[in-house]
Amino acid sequence: MTNSFDRHTIHRFDEELQALYFQVLEMGELVLNQLCLALESVKNKDLTLARRIIDRERVVNEMEVSADTAVCAILAKRSPKGSDLRTVLSTSKIVNNLERIGDEAAKLANFVNYMHSHEDGDASNFPLDDILRLGGASSEIAQLSLDAFERLDGEQARRVIEFHRTLDQQFQHGLHHLMGFLQAEKANVSNAVSQVMMMKALERIGGHAQRIAELVVFQLEGEEPRHHTQDMAQDFPLEE
Amino acid sequence: MSADFTKTPGSEQINMSAIDLNPPQKSLFNFGFAHPQATDYAAIGLPRMKCSKVSVHYGEKLAVSDASLNIMPNEVLALIGPSGCGKSTLLRCLNRMNDTIPGCRVSGKITLDDEDIYASDTEVVPLRVRVGMVFQKPNPFPKNIYDNIAMAPRLHGLVSSKAEMDAIVENSLRRAGLWHEVKDNLKQSGTSLSGGQQQRLCIARTIAVNPEVILMDEPCSALDPIATAKIEQLIDELRRQYSIVIVTHSMQQAARVSQRTAFFHLGKIIEVGETEQIFVRPREELTERYITGTFG
């Protein structure tokens, strides 16, 4: 199945669906960019970049409001059914998940801002390997889920859902490494908590990306894949 | 299409304890056809009406082809499809309204409580009491409100006293949601009511003889949204007691009022399913194209 916007007898409806689709793609692109820049700011301890990301979070929120408005208008005017209904519903939820990915990216930038704008800490000593590895995986999964949405690719969406398990494992490994580091070094507690929160933010980004992939499957097939909540790392974050 | 649309989920699970094998006979509504209360079809989940491979010809023209469909107790079944797809034709077969159309031939089998309604010994008038009909355009008799309701019970000898008739009139008007609007003007002409009130009067007239199935052929197409909402609310309440089959061009209405929906195209039933399934994830491509407005 591919997106085609010249199917309906009422052409205006096609135009509205197309506009919504491109709005989501644009929002996805912005959110991915926010995430990549946030990781860049973590890696380079770039405070200026971190503040830019925090400022631009407002644009992501505005895009969510705009997409929500479009969804409401379509529901009110067109009363969509069948695949149209599924498209509008899943798009609405995807927008919501994108906004949350944007929130998490801004959260990363906030921690960069917090950790490196205080002189009291040892933030520079913390190992970044795990965070960057987790960041690479979460941005990849987010990219893949948006590709699946763009191409309405059910197979890719299912791969993304599976890929999320890997991210969970990376999250747990990262936590264990950090605990080892904290036991060995006399580290600043607030910086340590920030590190944990950053890892958690990246893990959540993976969770939202997984949700986007599930919604693509719902859009295509009308049934949502089973939720893997029992596998989610947040339930047992320190389990080996 | 080889799908069997007569199967209904859960219909095979019969609660034998719920079946009263010797129900009290109610002579009031016994017309010498099958006794309506002989079997509690709702309790055992059996179809109230059953269409098996029904085909209808108007002269040489095939209007309905091999339609198989169950009508369950206490359900609203919506028939949808483009104009000329055969949905109204099939509806009218359910109480033999097509008998009056010259050149109309019906083959296959339609049963009401397991009795063939097209059997040679079936009397049509009692059948139409048991399977009532509400039409697209409200058609009250040119008589007062009371007589509109009282006429059928009187004709069929269902009442023996004025008090009994008064009770039937009040009860029917109450169940049609019209009593409070007309109780002080029962001698007013039925045709002087608004369109929505007239349609509810017609529904009251239909239920006055206590049917088992009510057929509705686009009952709201001539009504404004408020009157439509009142009729839809009424349909929802009537479902507790009757089976209702509604033909509608409004997919929104079908989605709102029905539990199951059948989609017709070119005289064939393309898909029957739970309304939610039909409107969210139809199985057939044709259904998808029709409900999303990408037809033709």
Side-chain angles (χ1 to χ4, degrees):
Chain A
M1 184 173 169
T2 53
N3 279 305
S4 101
F5 298 107
D6 56 353
R7 300 181 301 126
H8 295 89
T9 308
I10 301 171
H11 300 316
R12 187 82 191 102
F13 187 17
D14 280 322
E15 290 167 18
E16 287 162 2
L17 286 174
Q18 188 176 26
L20 180 63
Y21 170 75
F22 283 121
Q23 241 178 311
V24 177
L25 288 185
E26 194 184 347
M27 186 177 176
E29 206 171 309
L30 175 64
V31 165
L32 272 181
N33 187 251
Q34 285 279 87
L35 176 58
C36 292
L37 292 179
L39 290 169
E40 197 73 24
S41 73
V42 172
K43 186 179 172 186
N44 300 328
K45 304 171 180 67
D46 187 339
L47 282 174
T48 315
L49 183 57
R51 285 176 190 140
R52 227 177 75 205
I53 293 160
I54 294 163
D55 285 346
R56 215 164 55 153
E57 166 63 0
R58 182 183 47 80
V59 182
V60 176
N61 292 341
E62 284 169 2
M63 288 179 111
E64 187 201 19
V65 173
S66 167
D68 277 348
T69 307
V71 165
C72 282
I74 290 175
L75 288 173
K77 285 195 287 183
R78 309 294 176 198
S79 300
K81 291 169 200 71
S83 61
D84 292 334
L85 177 63
R86 299 200 305 269
T87 297
V88 175
L89 282 181
S90 62
T91 302
S92 171
K93 291 180 178 179
I94 286 170
V95 164
N96 188 251
N97 279 279
L98 284 175
E99 191 274 335
R100 289 183 185 184
I101 292 176
D103 278 350
E104 301 293 348
K107 208 183 276 180
L108 286 173
N110 264 318
F111 284 121
V112 170
N113 195 22
Y114 172 78
M115 288 173 75
H116 300 291
S117 58
H118 292 78
E119 294 300 322
D120 61 337
D122 49 1
S124 308
N125 301 332
F126 276 84
L128 286 178
D129 291 355
D130 285 314
I131 287 193
L132 293 177
R133 196 176 304 119
L134 201 53
S138 61
S139 58
E140 189 182 351
I141 191 174
Q143 175 73 63
L144 289 172
S145 67
L146 281 169
D147 286 348
F149 170 74
E150 185 175 0
R151 297 199 307 268
L152 284 185
D153 184 338
E155 281 182 28
Q156 171 143 333
R158 288 188 186 282
R159 280 198 298 274
V160 169
I161 295 166
E162 289 306 311
F163 187 30
H164 182 239
R165 290 165 189 262
T166 314
L167 195 72
D168 286 340
Q169 287 164 0
Q170 288 187 2
F171 172 59
Q172 293 197 26
H173 288 154
L175 281 181
H176 279 279
H177 287 164
L178 183 62
M179 286 194 316
F181 172 78
L182 293 175
Q183 281 161 1
E185 305 284 331
K186 226 180 167 182
N188 179 301
V189 173
S190 61
N191 281 340
V193 171
S194 296
Q195 288 270 320
V196 174
M197 299 295 276
M198 284 162 79
M199 283 189 195
K200 185 66 189 164
L202 291 167
E203 188 276 330
R204 281 292 68 223
I205 286 169
H208 293 307
Q210 180 197 13
R211 187 75 192 113
I212 290 172
E214 287 172 351
L215 290 163
V216 172
V217 174
F218 168 73
Q219 183 175 341
L220 289 168
E221 300 171 10
E223 303 276 353
E224 287 206 37
R226 194 175 63 84
H227 286 281
H228 298 289
T229 44
Q230 67 272 30
D231 301 333
M232 299 286 274
Q234 68 262 33
D235 291 341
F236 307 102
L238 298 179
E239 262 191 10
E240 283 288 7
Chain B
M1 287 284 293
S2 59
D4 181 2
F5 297 121
T6 58
K7 285 185 181 165
T8 305
S11 61
E12 66 282 358
Q13 293 173 357
I14 297 177
N15 178 4
M16 293 305 288
S17 63
I19 307 169
D20 183 359
L21 296 174
N22 296 299
Q25 296 290 303
K26 293 180 185 172
S27 60
L28 194 62
F29 297 114
N30 189 348
F31 295 96
F33 196 65
H35 193 285
Q37 276 80 34
T39 307
D40 189 347
Y41 283 78
I44 58 179
L46 291 175
R48 179 68 78 190
M49 293 192 84
K50 207 168 181 174
C51 304
S52 308
K53 293 187 172 295
V54 174
S55 293
V56 185
H57 284 83
Y58 292 122
E60 292 302 306
K61 187 182 180 306
L62 180 64
V64 175
S65 171
D66 260 351
S68 294
L69 192 68
N70 283 345
I71 297 155
M72 305 303 292
N74 310 114
E75 81 163 357
V76 180
L77 172 68
L79 310 184
I80 62 167
S83 297
C85 67
K87 55 191 188 300
S88 289
T89 298
L90 183 67
L91 185 85
R92 293 165 65 87
C93 288
L94 297 176
N95 71 348
R96 293 183 53 173
M97 291 293 286
N98 286 333
D99 285 11
T100 56
I101 298 175
C104 178
R105 283 178 290 121
V106 179
S107 62
K109 192 174 180 184
I110 302 178
T111 60
L112 171 62
D113 297 343
D114 284 334
E115 294 200 18
D116 187 352
I117 67 169
Y118 279 88
S120 55
D121 59 345
T122 299
E123 288 184 43
V124 175
V125 173
L127 170 70
R128 290 181 189 153
V129 170
R130 295 178 62 194
V131 185
M133 190 151 189
V134 177
F135 296 88
Q136 182 174 2
K137 206 174 160 202
N139 56 352
F141 302 133
K143 290 181 172 295
N144 66 41
I145 293 168
Y146 186 97
D147 285 340
N148 261 278
I149 309 294
M151 184 173 276
R154 194 180 290 141
L155 272 174
H156 294 295
L158 300 182
V159 288
S160 52
S161 67
K162 172 81 167 60
E164 210 173 338
M165 182 63 88
D166 287 350
I168 287 182
V169 170
E170 180 177 341
N171 190 28
S172 303
L173 287 169
R174 276 188 192 281
R175 284 193 291 169
L178 197 57
W179 175 248
H180 290 293
E181 293 166 53
V182 301
K183 64 181 177 187
D184 298 324
N185 297 300
L186 291 177
K187 295 297 169 193
Q188 180 189 340
S189 168
T191 53
S192 67
L193 297 170
S194 71
Q197 287 174 322
Q198 285 187 28
Q199 194 63 306
R200 279 184 283 150
L201 179 62
C202 292
I203 292 174
R205 190 177 67 190
T206 303
I207 59 183
V209 289
N210 206 22
E212 292 169 66
V213 180
I214 301 174
L215 311 176
M216 297 184 166
D217 195 356
E218 296 185 54
C220 302
S221 61
L223 304 182
D224 68 31
I226 304 294
T228 297
K230 286 182 179 170
I231 299 285
E232 288 182 6
Q233 170 62 24
L234 179 58
I235 289 171
D236 199 45
E237 285 166 14
L238 293 175
R239 179 172 75 86
R240 293 176 203 161
Q241 196 170 346
Y242 310 104
S243 299
I244 297 172
V245 187
I246 180 170
V247 164
T248 175
H249 272 127
S250 163
M251 283 185 282
Q252 280 307 102
Q253 181 168 67
R256 285 192 299 260
V257 303
S258 70
Q259 283 70 53
R260 285 194 308 138
T261 297
F263 169 59
F264 284 68
H265 182 55
L266 297 176
K268 290 190 172 175
I269 296 179
I270 304 300
E271 186 171 357
V272 185
E274 287 183 13
T275 297
E276 188 185 315
Q277 176 257 312
I278 293 285
F279 287 107
V280 177
R281 39 182 183 279
R283 292 191 187 93
E284 301 296 329
E285 177 67 21
L286 261 179
T287 318
E288 162 74 18
R289 283 170 51 205
Y290 182 69
I291 63 168
T292 55
T294 54
F295 218 66

